[in-house]
Amino acid sequence: MKKTIITVIGLAFTISVNAQTIKPYEKTAFEEIQANKFLAGGNLTDYDRIPRQAVLTPTPKGYEPYYLSHYGRHGARFLLGERDYSGPVMTLSAAKKNGKLTPEGEQVLERLQVLQRQSRGRLGDLTPVGEREHHGIGKRMAQNFPELFKTPYLPIDARSTTVIRSIISMVAECEELAAANPTAQFHNDVSESLKYYMNPSKEGKQRANDMKVWPIQTELTYKIRQPERLMQVLFNDKDWVYKYVDASSLMGQLYDLAVNMTSHNEDTYLIDLFTAQELYDLWKGNNHYWYLAYANAPQTEHVMPFTHKNLLKNIIETADTVTTKQATLRFGHDTIVLPIACLLELGNSNASIDNLDELDTYFRNYEIIPYAGNVQLIFYRPVKGKKGDILVKALLNEREVTMPASTDNFPYYKWSELREYYLNKLNN
């Protein structure tokens, strides 16, 4: 079954207004990763290495953009855990001490030791690449919508979770908007009081279903990973590997470090250890996890995106108050960008796939939650003296995407229809 799920499990009411059909991708995920190996990073992919829409559709005749509503993930960062760096170093160091590394294995160990030293005191910190990603987004935002961002004394409300990498990402983006419009009036806010909609924890049904993720994910991971070739590259003794190395775990650790090297403007040495098939297989496991834990997965009863219902409410309620040109920027995490893209039903984000072997035919996380991944909703109104409906279009990582309503003027949709659809979805 491949469709947009519009039934909230456990509730009798079915939302059925204008839901669009999920379409398969034209190219396979393997073909895309083979052509651009950096996509194998999934949620660790450098934003500037994913395809972007070169030219956006012009503003409809007789309209002007007057409001932009945004939620964006922080930019590229160091990995989060000390074991992410020390784990593979310990494994390879023990092998070296016992003479069990190949020359290639010794080179890999040296590179890992450098990364471990660089990470000390920096776990989870934004890197210069992460700043660059957000400077680019802010600059293009001003360029794409000059009628809005060149407005004298434009109010810009920018808010972040309390995590430092998100705060610095907010600063980087605001710097570009300030450079484009020195008169813009910024209000920046960082507070635990915003957590209920900016970065809430899973509770109730969502938390209960979270417990289902790891057994499914563990089975899929060990089915997908084939570490034998890589172990032969690193170690010179199969028996040593069998006795002392968790080959699947080591392969996963090296994958995380390899795909995250782009967060540091590093070369491709570690990622080149992997074949295209291995990178695809490792990404596939990453894609499965994010789908099960945060997307519209039947395996977790379609409830995971609703952890972030308060963010959708905030988006709607804030838009309802806007009468003059302004912008609302929100900065947080991939664990929010994916669910809100699902709730908004942007493109293929909300796909519901029963057979996980077919998942990447319809759902690819690198399109939704790379580093600095973002959702932009741009609202349009008739210019002075004209009449017409309020229109909205959605950008997912700066690409125009479909929304759950009918339109004869893609990518523009009537906000009144979308607003009613989303409120029904939330209320029922």
Side-chain angles (χ1 to χ4, degrees):
M1 177 176 63
K2 306 122 182 149
K3 61 183 180 180
T4 299
I5 288 297
I6 49 177
T7 302
V8 180
I9 299 300
L11 299 176
F13 187 87
T14 300
I15 303 163
S16 58
V17 181
N18 292 325
Q20 78 268 22
T21 301
I22 300 298
K23 297 179 180 179
Y25 291 102
E26 293 182 3
K27 291 185 177 180
T28 67
F30 177 77
E31 289 172 335
E32 290 191 342
I33 290 172
Q34 191 175 35
N36 181 0
K37 59 190 170 186
F38 299 105
L39 298 179
N43 69 305
L44 302 181
T45 301
D46 174 7
Y47 186 81
D48 292 324
R49 295 179 189 265
I50 65 170
R52 232 184 350 255
Q53 188 168 332
V55 180
L56 300 181
T57 304
T59 298
K61 187 176 181 180
Y63 277 81
E64 64 176 357
Y66 74 98
Y67 177 53
L68 185 144
S69 183
H70 156 283
Y71 191 102
R73 183 193 180 191
H74 60 76
R77 54 160 169 76
F78 285 85
L79 296 178
L80 300 175
E82 191 274 333
R83 286 283 300 179
D84 293 332
Y85 295 94
S86 65
V89 169
M90 291 172 60
T91 300
L92 269 64
S93 294
K96 180 179 180 180
K97 184 177 180 180
N98 288 275
K100 303 300 181 181
L101 285 185
T102 64
E104 182 81 350
E106 293 195 9
Q107 292 178 33
V108 170
L109 175 58
E110 291 175 5
R111 190 60 59 92
L112 295 179
Q113 289 169 329
V114 171
L115 290 174
Q116 184 182 24
R117 288 194 295 270
Q118 292 174 342
S119 72
R120 286 174 185 155
R122 307 288 304 187
L123 296 174
D125 283 358
L126 196 75
T127 68
V129 171
E131 286 190 271
R132 180 201 73 203
E133 291 166 338
H134 278 282
H135 276 288
I137 293 168
K139 185 174 183 178
R140 288 187 297 275
M141 195 180 284
Q143 292 171 342
N144 288 334
F145 309 107
E147 307 98 318
L148 174 60
F149 285 101
K150 293 290 187 179
T151 302
Y153 306 104
L154 178 73
I156 299 178
D157 186 275
R159 302 183 174 201
S160 169
T161 67
T162 57
V163 180
I164 293 174
R165 58 182 174 271
S166 297
I167 298 170
I168 299 175
S169 297
M170 175 179 68
V171 170
E173 213 157 297
C174 288
E175 284 177 344
E176 290 295 337
L177 296 175
N181 184 352
T183 69
Q185 303 293 298
F186 289 88
H187 173 255
N188 296 95
D189 197 3
V190 179
S191 171
E192 283 291 331
S193 68
L194 307 176
K195 184 176 180 180
Y196 77 98
Y197 76 91
M198 290 285 285
N199 189 22
S201 301
K202 292 177 181 176
E203 296 179 353
K205 283 188 175 182
Q206 287 78 22
R207 189 167 184 177
N209 276 279
D210 220 23
M211 302 299 291
K212 300 178 181 178
V213 173
W214 287 112
I216 300 172
Q217 182 65 20
T218 299
E219 181 180 351
L220 286 168
T221 295
Y222 280 92
K223 176 183 174 183
I224 289 170
R225 288 184 191 170
Q226 303 294 327
E228 293 78 16
R229 186 205 64 83
L230 181 61
M231 295 303 106
Q232 291 175 11
V233 171
L234 301 174
F235 301 97
N236 58 27
D237 188 334
K238 287 184 179 179
D239 291 335
W240 171 271
V241 174
Y242 180 77
K243 291 179 181 179
Y244 300 109
V245 177
D246 183 338
S248 179
S249 178
L250 178 60
M251 188 181 200
Q253 291 171 324
L254 291 174
Y255 157 76
D256 286 343
L257 288 164
V259 296
N260 202 59
M261 285 183 76
T262 56
S263 296
H264 308 281
N265 278 324
E266 292 284 350
D267 60 39
T268 62
Y269 175 70
L270 288 181
I271 203 170
D272 288 339
L273 287 174
F274 300 92
T275 66
Q277 184 65 50
E278 288 166 346
L279 286 173
Y280 166 71
D281 290 341
L282 289 158
W283 165 77
K284 196 172 180 180
N286 179 281
N287 195 47
H288 282 153
Y289 166 74
W290 283 96
Y291 182 70
L292 293 169
Y294 295 98
N296 185 28
Q299 296 81 0
T300 45
E301 299 187 49
H302 311 288
V303 300
M304 307 311 262
F306 286 88
T307 301
H308 303 283
K309 60 185 181 294
N310 286 332
L311 176 56
L312 180 52
K313 289 179 182 178
N314 178 265
I315 289 171
I316 295 170
E317 291 170 358
T318 305
D320 285 346
T321 69
V322 174
T323 56
T324 60
K325 289 186 177 181
Q326 57 190 277
T328 303
L329 310 180
R330 310 168 185 86
F331 295 86
H333 310 274
D334 45 9
T335 53
I336 295 88
V337 173
L338 176 51
I340 195 60
C342 288
L343 289 179
L344 290 166
E345 300 183 30
L346 304 183
N348 276 21
S349 302
N350 201 47
S352 176
I353 308 301
D354 288 320
N355 183 356
L356 289 175
D357 289 336
E358 299 178 352
L359 179 63
D360 62 52
T361 303
Y362 301 90
F363 180 92
R364 298 173 188 175
N365 64 353
Y366 53 73
E367 284 204 340
I368 308 170
I369 49 168
Y371 282 132
N374 61 94
V375 171
Q376 299 177 34
L377 301 179
I378 304 91
F379 292 77
Y380 296 79
R381 65 186 178 190
V383 296
K384 191 173 182 179
K386 300 284 186 178
K387 292 184 178 180
D389 296 297
I390 297 296
L391 304 180
V392 64
K393 78 171 174 180
L395 301 184
L396 179 58
N397 299 323
E398 300 177 71
R399 297 191 305 273
E400 295 169 342
V401 288
T402 56
M403 302 182 79
S406 59
T407 182
D408 57 4
N409 189 26
F410 177 83
Y412 299 100
Y413 296 84
K414 292 181 181 179
W415 173 238
S416 59
E417 293 182 3
L418 286 167
R419 182 182 182 279
E420 180 181 6
Y421 177 77
Y422 292 141
L423 288 175
N424 284 337
K425 186 173 187 174
L426 290 172
N427 292 335
N428 295 284

